[in-house]
Every structure is written in C-alpha cells, then in structure tokens.
Amino acid sequence: QVQLVESGGGLVQAGGSLRLSCAASGSIFSINAMGWYRQAPGKQRELVATISNSGSTNYADFVKGRFTISRDNAKNMVYLQMNSLKPEDTAVYYCKMVVVSLTSKAYQYWGQGTQVTVSS
C-alpha cells in the first residue's frame, strides 16, 4: 500500500506565492509520472502540471509561466511552486503518482488534497 501526503496549502493574497509538497510512502519500487491536479467548487478536477520520471514537464495553459513542477526521486516527492497567484487559482490541489510496486505492477495513487485560497 502507498500513501500520498500533501502539504503547503493555505491562504495567500493575489500576486503571492505558495509551494506545495507531496510525499509518497509505503511499498514503492519506483515512481513513474507525478502530477498536480486541482478542483474548484462546482467544477471538475483538472490537470495543472505533470512531470515524468525523466523530468519532462507538461503544464496547463492557465499556469504556464507561473507554476513550476519538480520532483525529488530520492525522497519520493513532488513539488509545485506557485507564483503570481490569482483568485481563480483557488481550489483543492491534489497530487497523483503512478507507483511501481515491489512486484513490478503500476498503480495510480492520489493524495487527500490541500486547500489553496487566493484572496483578491
């Protein structure tokens, strides 16, 4: 079993910054893709950014140039640096990882979510 725990959310004024972290623990052989998603009230969950195990990144258009995703493979962690935050970035942010188990099977796991609120 694998657990993902996010941290770093909070309340920030527009134009401010936050850094989200997500740590994976449990029966992990390796981790393939990692990513951040978000869900605002009344809306569907949407992709924010992903990073492959080779470090290739992909961003949603609405965060390009403001957010940066990174990973630390030694610590099984993924980060999301969020700059120039806007009120429309307000949402619950979730991390997702594709984890390869000790039996060489790949599973997808989600974190519990962390609230990000940006005030105007």
Side-chain angles (χ1 to χ4, degrees), residues 32-38 46-64 67-71 77-80 94-98 108 110:
N32 292 338
M34 299 179 175
W36 288 95
Y37 294 73
R38 71 185 188 186
E46 60 185 357
L47 181 147
V48 175
T50 61
I51 184 167
S52 71
N53 54 2
S54 65
S56 297
T57 59
N58 178 56
Y59 295 94
D61 287 343
F62 54 77
V63 302
K64 283 181 179 178
F67 292 8
T68 302
I69 189 171
S70 61
R71 62 189 286 168
M77 294 191 69
V78 63
Y79 306 96
L80 186 68
Y94 299 89
C95 65
K96 185 181 82 171
M97 298 189 187
V98 178
Q108 180 175 283
W110 289 89

Side-chain angles (χ1 to χ4, degrees), residues 7 10 13 17 22 29-30 41-42 44 54 57 68 70 75 79-82 86 94 99 105 108 110 117-118:
S7 60
Q13 288 189 332
S17 298
C22 177
F29 176 73
S30 65
Q44 291 189 334
S54 65
T57 59
T68 302
S70 61
K75 295 182 179 179
Y79 306 96
L80 186 68
Q81 178 66 43
M82 305 186 294
K86 304 174 182 180
Y94 299 89
V99 177
K105 293 184 179 180
Q108 180 175 283
W110 289 89
T117 302
V118 184

